[in-house]
Amino acid sequence: MTKPFLKPLALAVSATLALAACGKQESPTDQAAPAKTTTAAAPAATTSTATAPGAKKSVFDVSELDSNINVCSDLNGFVNSKWIAANPIPDDRTRWGAFDQLAENSLNTQHDIVEAADKDADKAQSGSIEQKIGWLYRSGMNEDAINKAGWQPLKPELDQIAALKDSKQLADFISKQYAEGNGFVFGFGSGADFKDAKIQIAYANEGGLGLPTKDYYTDPKYADIRTAYVAYIAKLLQLTGVSEADAKKQADDVMKFETKLAAASLTPTEARDLKNEYHFVTVQEANKATPHFNWDNFFKDQGVTIEKGFSLSQPKFFAEFDKQLATAPITTWQAYLRFHAIDDAANYLSSDFQDAKFAFYGQTLSGQPKQKPRWKRVLGAVNGEMGEALGQLYVAKVFKPEAKQRAEELVNNVRNALKARIQNLDWMSQETKDKAVAKWNTFLPKIGYPDNWRDWSGLKVTPDNFFANAQAASKFNYDYDIAKIGKPTDRKEWGMTPQTVNAYYNPTDNTINFPAAILQPPFFDANADDAINYGGIGAVIGHEASHGFDDQGSQFDGEGNNKDWWTKDDKAKFNARTDKLVQQFNDYTPLKDKPDLHVNGKLTLGENIADLGGLNVAYDALQTSLKAHPEEANQKIDGYTPDQRFFLNWARVWRGNVREKQAVLYLNVDPHSPASLRAIGAPSNMEAFASAFQCKPGDAMVRSGDKQVKIW
């Protein structure tokens, strides 16, 4: 699956809202053919794309700025410290900031939509998305019925696991469960072929772990988390009737089993190496690699035809998987499958299962004091199961056409600035520049929402069975995904819903994507001056476009193929520059009480390159705009020049606070640097920032000489 290679602007805040379990397949139809599409209804036309006359007013509250902090010492503290002190993290969240506020606003809008859909579902057009969303939400909110059912909805699957007798039956069970949308041990789905991106192929990827990374299984500093994890495994098993003693033994077996899988798994940093994410094999070669797991049988069960081959992406992991099929006792496999079946289903079962899952993943791992209210958790499930359908209703309700048109204008301006920067680079040869511009020419920007909406007519939803609805949607979405295998890549398809506050770049189709929900303050404001918008959504646009030329994106051409288009000398120069950025972020220690914890500059390199490139490109685009409107170039608003307001809004975008446990987890797994460091990392490398605020060499926000990083 190339889905892991989508480059989101930030770790998706909506992901923390989902009821859907981490191991459940959330990939989309129940037919082995692409789903039908309908043309998206376009919003009503507008007559102007420019900022309204006379509307350039204060949209940045300068009273939030902390005059006790020198902007040349700490841009983030100057802009955000007062706001952070006045806005504590809500008890049902692990972080709170600009992204989270917008996500909360989006959630409230979605809540209104699903409540209305629930109210009108019984009389809605039969089979409409309004009816299905209404019934899905209603079934999830029927807590009494869910609690009464307990774990019985899962009993048939658990009975199948209990009946397994040997490795052949085990392999058959894994294959057939996948066909139902229930993935175990590894990940499977469609994605663009790294070598021929116009075609979708099958990808099998490592998986099967319940802890965040392989280090959590062996590093002494995570011993308490391992103890809590084993207790959680035992708790879930006991909730399904397993005795306390037997549950303890099975939990220990699961932990030992997962530790073996973890040893053969990649670290998050290793997973960013593209050589570790694509390994094309024929089906015959795959069968030789895993003699105890027959891929012919697996593909037959999925209803998928594999012609030339597929990506068995991490051979070391699949070798260990096969070894465990051959050597691990069937009772160990049963314990492992039993636990993961329960864990995957926990949020669709009675409250004792939900509470147990939250106690470990929410409280122990992330430090979240309280579970989200029921409506948010169920709304997360609706997003997980029918996200694009909900997005269709969201767009119809709130998305303004002028936002899309103005965003398109900004995208063009920022893209043109990126092209100019490429052409004017002093360290790159003309040969490589020409190829970089050729890639630039094939960028496909997508703004707001899909041109065509998915067809949901094959999904059956009832008003009174949450578990069955979730299972039906899981299979529907999985079938939708694998039906793409062997078909042409659709560059116009979205990998993010319109109601998501985020943006992303996809290197395998060379698209930059900006959902509707991010096109609002502080990112975009139709009534704001250009400096605010370029420092917000302009930098977001530049960030996503720059991903096309980060350490991973630079390994793909304009067609989305993993192809080296660099001269050897230019690549060496690029690597030397990015190495300096790695060191810059390696030096950061973001947690005051844990000075030994550093940012992983290698893990976060792609995002840091995109921040640096994106902010530079957006600044250039602002200067072009100011040249076209010289009367605005020296105009101060609230006492600040356009250049200053540009950087102030960049920092405001990254305002926020995070609980310590969650911050530690992010440092271990998240390819994005902490928000407080994103606010300062790129500006500190820009002479334009120092000039805007009259900062001097030696100031903390001024990196100069060998420490200054310039890439794009």
Side-chain angles (χ1 to χ4, degrees):
M1 290 177 287
T2 56
K3 295 173 187 64
F5 300 106
L6 302 186
K7 302 281 197 156
L9 175 68
L11 191 66
V13 289
S14 59
T16 63
L17 307 175
L19 257 176
C22 58
K24 203 156 207 48
Q25 289 300 304
E26 299 296 350
S27 309
T29 111
D30 58 355
Q31 311 208 314
K36 292 179 291 184
T37 56
T38 56
T39 301
T46 183
T47 57
S48 174
T49 63
T51 303
K56 291 180 181 175
K57 58 182 182 179
S58 178
V59 294
F60 188 104
D61 187 356
V62 295
S63 70
E64 294 178 343
L65 302 177
D66 191 340
S67 59
N68 294 316
I69 297 177
N70 186 343
V71 66
C72 295
S73 297
D74 181 6
L75 172 63
N76 179 64
F78 177 70
V79 174
N80 296 324
S81 61
K82 288 175 67 174
W83 184 93
I84 291 172
N87 291 272
I89 304 170
D91 285 346
D92 68 344
R93 286 183 173 271
T94 59
R95 71 185 200 192
W96 190 243
F99 278 90
D100 308 280
Q101 283 185 309
L102 287 188
E104 189 76 9
N105 294 341
S106 177
L107 273 184
N108 289 329
T109 299
Q110 295 169 52
H111 190 205
D112 292 341
I113 292 170
V114 296
E115 287 279 358
D118 176 9
K119 181 180 178 181
D120 298 334
D122 294 343
K123 59 185 179 183
Q125 180 180 347
S126 179
S128 64
I129 59 172
E130 291 85 353
Q131 184 180 72
K132 291 177 181 181
I133 287 172
W135 280 352
L136 177 57
Y137 181 74
R138 182 190 302 177
S139 68
M141 292 301 293
N142 191 348
E143 201 163 6
D144 288 343
I146 293 168
N147 284 336
K148 183 177 180 181
W151 62 276
Q152 291 305 303
L154 191 62
K155 190 173 185 300
E157 186 176 340
L158 296 182
D159 287 345
Q160 289 182 57
I161 293 170
L164 297 174
K165 291 183 172 55
D166 54 40
S167 61
K168 185 177 183 305
Q169 289 185 0
L170 178 59
D172 188 56
F173 172 82
I174 292 172
S175 291
K176 285 183 165 50
Q177 281 297 307
Y178 242 113
E180 295 302 315
N182 300 323
F184 288 101
V185 192
F186 58 87
F188 180 76
S190 67
D193 188 343
F194 271 27
K195 301 304 179 186
D196 184 10
K198 293 180 180 179
I199 296 295
Q200 295 281 298
I201 63 168
Y203 282 78
N205 292 305
E206 66 182 30
L209 304 181
L211 292 178
T213 72
K214 65 185 300 178
D215 289 346
Y216 280 79
Y217 288 88
T218 55
D219 195 315
K221 65 186 175 187
Y222 302 124
D224 290 346
I225 289 176
R226 288 194 291 276
T227 298
Y229 183 50
V230 171
Y232 167 61
I233 296 170
K235 175 70 172 177
L236 287 195
L237 294 172
Q238 285 181 259
L239 288 175
T240 60
V242 178
S243 69
E244 182 177 356
D246 197 18
K248 172 86 167 60
K249 181 183 182 306
Q250 290 188 44
D252 288 338
D253 288 344
V254 172
M255 187 65 186
K256 292 174 184 175
F257 181 83
E258 288 192 14
T259 301
K260 293 176 181 176
L261 292 182
S265 300
L266 301 170
T267 67
T269 303
E270 290 169 341
R272 292 197 71 251
D273 186 338
L274 298 178
K275 294 190 295 292
N276 292 329
E277 296 297 336
Y278 179 85
H279 180 67
F280 194 86
V281 295
T282 64
V283 176
Q284 184 179 12
E285 288 169 338
N287 287 335
K288 288 181 180 178
T290 60
H292 300 93
F293 189 82
N294 188 287
W295 291 95
D296 287 291
N297 293 343
F298 177 80
F299 292 128
K300 181 179 179 181
D301 285 338
Q302 312 316 303
V304 170
T305 299
I306 302 297
E307 295 183 358
K308 295 180 180 179
F310 70 106
S311 178
L312 191 67
S313 300
Q314 294 84 29
K316 182 180 177 181
F317 174 85
F318 283 98
E320 183 62 32
F321 164 56
D322 188 74
K323 178 182 177 182
Q324 294 306 314
L325 281 174
T327 62
I330 193 66
T331 53
T332 296
W333 269 104
Q334 288 172 317
Y336 170 80
L337 295 173
R338 185 177 293 119
F339 161 65
H340 280 284
I342 303 167
D343 178 63
D344 286 356
N347 286 321
Y348 302 97
L349 301 175
S350 52
S351 58
D352 44 358
F353 289 89
Q354 299 167 46
D355 294 344
K357 185 159 190 169
F358 171 73
F360 178 69
Y361 285 108
Q363 293 178 319
T364 300
L365 267 185
S366 302
Q368 182 175 320
K370 291 185 179 179
Q371 197 165 189
K372 293 183 185 299
R374 180 78 190 170
W375 72 264
K376 286 186 178 180
R377 288 179 279 141
V378 175
L379 183 53
V382 175
N383 269 295
E385 314 299 1
M386 294 188 68
E388 188 175 307
L390 179 56
Q392 189 172 346
L393 303 183
Y394 174 88
V395 166
K397 181 178 176 67
V398 302
F399 192 54
K400 297 179 180 179
E402 57 266 27
K404 181 168 185 173
Q405 292 172 348
R406 177 64 173 141
E408 288 172 344
E409 178 183 319
L410 289 168
V411 166
N412 288 333
N413 293 346
V414 173
R415 285 185 64 227
N416 288 336
L418 174 59
K419 181 180 181 180
R421 287 191 76 87
I422 293 171
Q423 292 172 325
N424 292 323
L425 288 174
D426 60 4
W427 58 268
M428 181 181 282
S429 70
Q430 190 61 47
E431 179 182 352
T432 304
K433 284 182 183 180
D434 289 344
K435 292 179 179 177
V437 170
K439 178 172 184 175
W440 176 92
N441 282 327
T442 62
F443 270 140
L444 175 63
K446 296 183 294 188
I447 298 169
Y449 55 89
D451 291 338
N452 298 296
W453 297 108
R454 270 186 66 183
D455 172 34
W456 297 86
S457 59
L459 175 61
K460 306 300 180 186
V461 178
T462 66
D464 55 5
N465 194 327
F466 191 41
F467 183 90
N469 287 339
Q471 185 61 60
S474 184
K475 176 174 173 52
F476 180 81
N477 289 327
Y478 173 67
D479 287 347
Y480 177 82
D481 180 52
I482 64 173
K484 301 171 191 173
I485 295 170
K487 306 292 195 306
T489 296
D490 181 4
R491 295 183 76 203
K492 293 187 176 182
E493 184 176 33
W494 282 65
M496 197 173 276
T497 64
Q499 63 272 28
T500 301
V501 182
N502 218 322
Y504 72 94
Y505 170 75
N506 185 354
T508 62
D509 63 16
N510 202 27
T511 61
I512 49 178
N513 307 264
F514 309 97
I518 202 172
L519 299 177
Q520 54 185 318
F523 297 96
F524 171 77
D525 189 333
N527 292 322
D529 54 299
D530 278 349
I532 292 293
N533 281 326
Y534 279 106
I537 195 65
V540 171
I541 295 165
H543 173 101
E544 300 307 339
S546 295
H547 268 312
F549 304 97
D550 70 14
D551 61 315
Q552 286 186 322
S554 62
Q555 298 181 59
F556 292 85
D557 65 16
E559 302 301 319
N561 298 310
N562 181 206
K563 183 178 180 180
D564 187 3
W565 44 271
W566 294 68
T567 67
K568 185 176 180 180
D569 183 56
D570 286 336
K571 177 58 80 171
K573 291 176 180 177
F574 175 77
N575 290 339
R577 289 168 182 266
T578 60
D579 284 347
K580 290 170 64 175
L581 194 59
V582 169
Q583 189 58 53
Q584 175 183 342
F585 280 84
N586 278 344
D587 289 341
Y588 288 133
T589 55
L591 301 180
K592 290 182 180 179
D593 295 335
K594 295 183 180 295
D596 58 322
L597 283 183
H598 290 249
V599 175
N600 184 336
K602 268 292 193 184
L603 176 61
T604 59
L605 179 58
E607 298 301 326
N608 298 333
I609 292 172
D611 278 353
L612 180 58
L615 195 60
N616 272 289
V617 166
Y619 179 81
D620 287 357
L622 171 62
Q623 301 313 305
T624 299
S625 175
L626 292 176
K627 286 179 182 177
H629 303 281
E631 72 281 2
E632 298 178 13
N634 297 311
Q635 179 184 2
K636 289 186 176 182
I637 300 177
D638 296 325
Y640 290 93
T641 67
D643 280 18
Q644 291 172 331
R645 289 170 65 75
F646 171 85
F647 288 109
L648 292 178
N649 199 41
W650 165 259
R652 180 172 64 160
V653 161
W654 298 111
R655 69 172 29 159
N657 200 4
V658 60
R659 299 189 190 280
E660 186 176 271
K661 285 186 177 181
Q662 184 68 76
V664 171
L665 183 59
Y666 282 157
L667 286 174
N668 291 332
V669 304
D670 188 4
H672 304 84
S673 296
S676 60
L677 300 179
R678 298 183 74 175
I680 66 172
S684 69
N685 284 303
M686 293 175 63
E687 292 160 1
F689 172 81
S691 176
F693 291 98
Q694 293 83 52
C695 302
K696 300 178 178 62
D699 289 336
M701 284 296 303
V702 179
R703 299 178 68 85
S704 55
D706 290 341
K707 288 189 175 182
Q708 186 181 45
V709 184
K710 293 183 178 181
I711 304 174
W712 295 106

PDB file of all heavy atoms in Angstrom, residues 321-340:
ATOM      1  N   PHE A 321       7.205 -14.240  10.003  1.00  0.00           N
ATOM      2  CA  PHE A 321       5.803 -14.670   9.990  1.00  0.00           C
ATOM      3  C   PHE A 321       5.704 -16.137   9.591  1.00  0.00           C
ATOM      4  O   PHE A 321       5.018 -16.944  10.246  1.00  0.00           O
ATOM      5  CB  PHE A 321       5.019 -13.768   9.026  1.00  0.00           C
ATOM      6  CG  PHE A 321       3.677 -14.290   8.608  1.00  0.00           C
ATOM      7  CD1 PHE A 321       2.705 -14.627   9.539  1.00  0.00           C
ATOM      8  CD2 PHE A 321       3.371 -14.434   7.248  1.00  0.00           C
ATOM      9  CE1 PHE A 321       1.446 -15.104   9.136  1.00  0.00           C
ATOM     10  CE2 PHE A 321       2.132 -14.903   6.842  1.00  0.00           C
ATOM     11  CZ  PHE A 321       1.168 -15.240   7.783  1.00  0.00           C
ATOM     12  N   ASP A 322       6.400 -16.502   8.529  1.00  0.00           N
ATOM     13  CA  ASP A 322       6.361 -17.893   8.077  1.00  0.00           C
ATOM     14  C   ASP A 322       6.987 -18.830   9.108  1.00  0.00           C
ATOM     15  O   ASP A 322       6.478 -19.935   9.358  1.00  0.00           O
ATOM     16  CB  ASP A 322       7.092 -18.021   6.736  1.00  0.00           C
ATOM     17  CG  ASP A 322       6.915 -19.391   6.114  1.00  0.00           C
ATOM     18  OD1 ASP A 322       5.817 -19.669   5.597  1.00  0.00           O
ATOM     19  OD2 ASP A 322       7.869 -20.195   6.188  1.00  0.00           O
ATOM     20  N   LYS A 323       8.064 -18.384   9.721  1.00  0.00           N
ATOM     21  CA  LYS A 323       8.718 -19.200  10.754  1.00  0.00           C
ATOM     22  C   LYS A 323       7.758 -19.469  11.902  1.00  0.00           C
ATOM     23  O   LYS A 323       7.679 -20.608  12.412  1.00  0.00           O
ATOM     24  CB  LYS A 323       9.968 -18.487  11.256  1.00  0.00           C
ATOM     25  CG  LYS A 323      10.698 -19.224  12.378  1.00  0.00           C
ATOM     26  CD  LYS A 323      11.912 -18.430  12.860  1.00  0.00           C
ATOM     27  CE  LYS A 323      12.589 -19.124  14.031  1.00  0.00           C
ATOM     28  NZ  LYS A 323      13.752 -18.331  14.527  1.00  0.00           N
ATOM     29  N   GLN A 324       7.008 -18.463  12.294  1.00  0.00           N
ATOM     30  CA  GLN A 324       6.062 -18.643  13.404  1.00  0.00           C
ATOM     31  C   GLN A 324       4.892 -19.535  12.993  1.00  0.00           C
ATOM     32  O   GLN A 324       4.359 -20.291  13.814  1.00  0.00           O
ATOM     33  CB  GLN A 324       5.560 -17.289  13.900  1.00  0.00           C
ATOM     34  CG  GLN A 324       6.638 -16.432  14.544  1.00  0.00           C
ATOM     35  CD  GLN A 324       7.370 -17.161  15.665  1.00  0.00           C
ATOM     36  OE1 GLN A 324       6.764 -17.801  16.519  1.00  0.00           O
ATOM     37  NE2 GLN A 324       8.700 -17.070  15.635  1.00  0.00           N
ATOM     38  N   LEU A 325       4.501 -19.475  11.734  1.00  0.00           N
ATOM     39  CA  LEU A 325       3.473 -20.406  11.255  1.00  0.00           C
ATOM     40  C   LEU A 325       3.940 -21.845  11.422  1.00  0.00           C
ATOM     41  O   LEU A 325       3.148 -22.737  11.767  1.00  0.00           O
ATOM     42  CB  LEU A 325       3.154 -20.138   9.780  1.00  0.00           C
ATOM     43  CG  LEU A 325       2.225 -18.968   9.456  1.00  0.00           C
ATOM     44  CD1 LEU A 325       2.145 -18.778   7.937  1.00  0.00           C
ATOM     45  CD2 LEU A 325       0.821 -19.203  10.015  1.00  0.00           C
ATOM     46  N   ALA A 326       5.232 -22.067  11.203  1.00  0.00           N
ATOM     47  CA  ALA A 326       5.772 -23.428  11.237  1.00  0.00           C
ATOM     48  C   ALA A 326       6.121 -23.896  12.641  1.00  0.00           C
ATOM     49  O   ALA A 326       6.043 -25.103  12.927  1.00  0.00           O
ATOM     50  CB  ALA A 326       7.015 -23.514  10.347  1.00  0.00           C
ATOM     51  N   THR A 327       6.491 -22.962  13.530  1.00  0.00           N
ATOM     52  CA  THR A 327       7.066 -23.395  14.810  1.00  0.00           C
ATOM     53  C   THR A 327       6.270 -23.004  16.051  1.00  0.00           C
ATOM     54  O   THR A 327       6.359 -23.685  17.070  1.00  0.00           O
ATOM     55  CB  THR A 327       8.489 -22.829  14.956  1.00  0.00           C
ATOM     56  OG1 THR A 327       8.436 -21.391  14.960  1.00  0.00           O
ATOM     57  CG2 THR A 327       9.383 -23.296  13.818  1.00  0.00           C
ATOM     58  N   ALA A 328       5.542 -21.914  16.009  1.00  0.00           N
ATOM     59  CA  ALA A 328       4.814 -21.482  17.205  1.00  0.00           C
ATOM     60  C   ALA A 328       3.671 -22.443  17.501  1.00  0.00           C
ATOM     61  O   ALA A 328       2.950 -22.861  16.581  1.00  0.00           O
ATOM     62  CB  ALA A 328       4.279 -20.068  17.019  1.00  0.00           C
ATOM     63  N   PRO A 329       3.463 -22.799  18.758  1.00  0.00           N
ATOM     64  CA  PRO A 329       2.347 -23.687  19.115  1.00  0.00           C
ATOM     65  C   PRO A 329       1.018 -23.078  18.682  1.00  0.00           C
ATOM     66  O   PRO A 329       0.841 -21.856  18.713  1.00  0.00           O
ATOM     67  CB  PRO A 329       2.443 -23.779  20.641  1.00  0.00           C
ATOM     68  CG  PRO A 329       3.858 -23.421  20.962  1.00  0.00           C
ATOM     69  CD  PRO A 329       4.273 -22.424  19.928  1.00  0.00           C
ATOM     70  N   ILE A 330       0.093 -23.925  18.282  1.00  0.00           N
ATOM     71  CA  ILE A 330      -1.212 -23.435  17.838  1.00  0.00           C
ATOM     72  C   ILE A 330      -1.896 -22.663  18.951  1.00  0.00           C
ATOM     73  O   ILE A 330      -2.639 -21.705  18.700  1.00  0.00           O
ATOM     74  CB  ILE A 330      -2.090 -24.600  17.321  1.00  0.00           C
ATOM     75  CG1 ILE A 330      -3.317 -24.052  16.576  1.00  0.00           C
ATOM     76  CG2 ILE A 330      -2.490 -25.526  18.454  1.00  0.00           C
ATOM     77  CD1 ILE A 330      -2.990 -23.325  15.304  1.00  0.00           C
ATOM     78  N   THR A 331      -1.636 -23.036  20.213  1.00  0.00           N
ATOM     79  CA  THR A 331      -2.249 -22.318  21.334  1.00  0.00           C
ATOM     80  C   THR A 331      -1.730 -20.885  21.422  1.00  0.00           C
ATOM     81  O   THR A 331      -2.475 -19.976  21.819  1.00  0.00           O
ATOM     82  CB  THR A 331      -1.974 -23.053  22.661  1.00  0.00           C
ATOM     83  OG1 THR A 331      -0.557 -23.265  22.790  1.00  0.00           O
ATOM     84  CG2 THR A 331      -2.697 -24.387  22.701  1.00  0.00           C
ATOM     85  N   THR A 332      -0.464 -20.672  21.058  1.00  0.00           N
ATOM     86  CA  THR A 332       0.088 -19.308  21.043  1.00  0.00           C
ATOM     87  C   THR A 332      -0.578 -18.482  19.957  1.00  0.00           C
ATOM     88  O   THR A 332      -0.970 -17.327  20.172  1.00  0.00           O
ATOM     89  CB  THR A 332       1.610 -19.348  20.826  1.00  0.00           C
ATOM     90  OG1 THR A 332       2.227 -20.004  21.929  1.00  0.00           O
ATOM     91  CG2 THR A 332       2.182 -17.936  20.683  1.00  0.00           C
ATOM     92  N   TRP A 333      -0.703 -19.090  18.769  1.00  0.00           N
ATOM     93  CA  TRP A 333      -1.386 -18.398  17.680  1.00  0.00           C
ATOM     94  C   TRP A 333      -2.827 -18.080  18.053  1.00  0.00           C
ATOM     95  O   TRP A 333      -3.341 -16.990  17.759  1.00  0.00           O
ATOM     96  CB  TRP A 333      -1.359 -19.254  16.411  1.00  0.00           C
ATOM     97  CG  TRP A 333      -0.182 -18.998  15.533  1.00  0.00           C
ATOM     98  CD1 TRP A 333       0.929 -19.778  15.391  1.00  0.00           C
ATOM     99  CD2 TRP A 333       0.004 -17.874  14.660  1.00  0.00           C
ATOM    100  NE1 TRP A 333       1.800 -19.219  14.487  1.00  0.00           N
ATOM    101  CE2 TRP A 333       1.255 -18.052  14.019  1.00  0.00           C
ATOM    102  CE3 TRP A 333      -0.742 -16.754  14.361  1.00  0.00           C
ATOM    103  CZ2 TRP A 333       1.760 -17.138  13.096  1.00  0.00           C
ATOM    104  CZ3 TRP A 333      -0.245 -15.826  13.444  1.00  0.00           C
ATOM    105  CH2 TRP A 333       0.987 -16.022  12.829  1.00  0.00           C
ATOM    106  N   GLN A 334      -3.498 -19.009  18.692  1.00  0.00           N
ATOM    107  CA  GLN A 334      -4.884 -18.768  19.093  1.00  0.00           C
ATOM    108  C   GLN A 334      -4.975 -17.608  20.077  1.00  0.00           C
ATOM    109  O   GLN A 334      -5.866 -16.762  19.974  1.00  0.00           O
ATOM    110  CB  GLN A 334      -5.478 -20.040  19.709  1.00  0.00           C
ATOM    111  CG  GLN A 334      -5.768 -21.138  18.689  1.00  0.00           C
ATOM    112  CD  GLN A 334      -6.179 -22.445  19.338  1.00  0.00           C
ATOM    113  OE1 GLN A 334      -5.577 -22.868  20.326  1.00  0.00           O
ATOM    114  NE2 GLN A 334      -7.200 -23.095  18.784  1.00  0.00           N
ATOM    115  N   ALA A 335      -4.056 -17.575  21.036  1.00  0.00           N
ATOM    116  CA  ALA A 335      -4.063 -16.472  21.998  1.00  0.00           C
ATOM    117  C   ALA A 335      -3.834 -15.132  21.286  1.00  0.00           C
ATOM    118  O   ALA A 335      -4.515 -14.131  21.574  1.00  0.00           O
ATOM    119  CB  ALA A 335      -2.987 -16.699  23.057  1.00  0.00           C
ATOM    120  N   TYR A 336      -2.878 -15.114  20.354  1.00  0.00           N
ATOM    121  CA  TYR A 336      -2.568 -13.891  19.609  1.00  0.00           C
ATOM    122  C   TYR A 336      -3.768 -13.432  18.775  1.00  0.00           C
ATOM    123  O   TYR A 336      -4.167 -12.251  18.825  1.00  0.00           O
ATOM    124  CB  TYR A 336      -1.356 -14.143  18.715  1.00  0.00           C
ATOM    125  CG  TYR A 336      -1.063 -13.049  17.729  1.00  0.00           C
ATOM    126  CD1 TYR A 336      -0.394 -11.895  18.114  1.00  0.00           C
ATOM    127  CD2 TYR A 336      -1.461 -13.168  16.392  1.00  0.00           C
ATOM    128  CE1 TYR A 336      -0.127 -10.881  17.200  1.00  0.00           C
ATOM    129  CE2 TYR A 336      -1.194 -12.167  15.472  1.00  0.00           C
ATOM    130  CZ  TYR A 336      -0.535 -11.028  15.875  1.00  0.00           C
ATOM    131  OH  TYR A 336      -0.278 -10.019  14.974  1.00  0.00           O
ATOM    132  N   LEU A 337      -4.355 -14.346  18.016  1.00  0.00           N
ATOM    133  CA  LEU A 337      -5.496 -13.996  17.176  1.00  0.00           C
ATOM    134  C   LEU A 337      -6.704 -13.615  18.017  1.00  0.00           C
ATOM    135  O   LEU A 337      -7.449 -12.681  17.679  1.00  0.00           O
ATOM    136  CB  LEU A 337      -5.849 -15.159  16.254  1.00  0.00           C
ATOM    137  CG  LEU A 337      -4.790 -15.539  15.211  1.00  0.00           C
ATOM    138  CD1 LEU A 337      -5.194 -16.820  14.487  1.00  0.00           C
ATOM    139  CD2 LEU A 337      -4.583 -14.402  14.207  1.00  0.00           C
ATOM    140  N   ARG A 338      -6.906 -14.336  19.121  1.00  0.00           N
ATOM    141  CA  ARG A 338      -8.034 -14.052  20.011  1.00  0.00           C
ATOM    142  C   ARG A 338      -7.928 -12.631  20.560  1.00  0.00           C
ATOM    143  O   ARG A 338      -8.900 -11.857  20.513  1.00  0.00           O
ATOM    144  CB  ARG A 338      -8.056 -15.078  21.141  1.00  0.00           C
ATOM    145  CG  ARG A 338      -9.246 -14.993  22.079  1.00  0.00           C
ATOM    146  CD  ARG A 338      -9.173 -16.105  23.112  1.00  0.00           C
ATOM    147  NE  ARG A 338      -9.346 -17.428  22.514  1.00  0.00           N
ATOM    148  CZ  ARG A 338      -8.433 -18.397  22.549  1.00  0.00           C
ATOM    149  NH1 ARG A 338      -7.259 -18.192  23.146  1.00  0.00           N
ATOM    150  NH2 ARG A 338      -8.676 -19.562  21.994  1.00  0.00           N
ATOM    151  N   PHE A 339      -6.746 -12.286  21.063  1.00  0.00           N
ATOM    152  CA  PHE A 339      -6.572 -10.937  21.611  1.00  0.00           C
ATOM    153  C   PHE A 339      -6.796  -9.872  20.552  1.00  0.00           C
ATOM    154  O   PHE A 339      -7.521  -8.885  20.779  1.00  0.00           O
ATOM    155  CB  PHE A 339      -5.178 -10.770  22.213  1.00  0.00           C
ATOM    156  CG  PHE A 339      -4.775  -9.326  22.365  1.00  0.00           C
ATOM    157  CD1 PHE A 339      -5.465  -8.486  23.228  1.00  0.00           C
ATOM    158  CD2 PHE A 339      -3.723  -8.790  21.610  1.00  0.00           C
ATOM    159  CE1 PHE A 339      -5.116  -7.148  23.348  1.00  0.00           C
ATOM    160  CE2 PHE A 339      -3.378  -7.453  21.735  1.00  0.00           C
ATOM    161  CZ  PHE A 339      -4.073  -6.622  22.601  1.00  0.00           C
ATOM    162  N   HIS A 340      -6.183 -10.039  19.376  1.00  0.00           N
ATOM    163  CA  HIS A 340      -6.313  -8.990  18.365  1.00  0.00           C
ATOM    164  C   HIS A 340      -7.721  -8.903  17.793  1.00  0.00           C
ATOM    165  O   HIS A 340      -8.175  -7.806  17.429  1.00  0.00           O
ATOM    166  CB  HIS A 340      -5.269  -9.180  17.270  1.00  0.00           C
ATOM    167  CG  HIS A 340      -3.916  -8.662  17.669  1.00  0.00           C
ATOM    168  ND1 HIS A 340      -3.598  -7.330  17.694  1.00  0.00           N
ATOM    169  CD2 HIS A 340      -2.799  -9.308  18.113  1.00  0.00           C
ATOM    170  CE1 HIS A 340      -2.366  -7.162  18.106  1.00  0.00           C
ATOM    171  NE2 HIS A 340      -1.849  -8.348  18.370  1.00  0.00           N
TER     172      HIS A 340
END
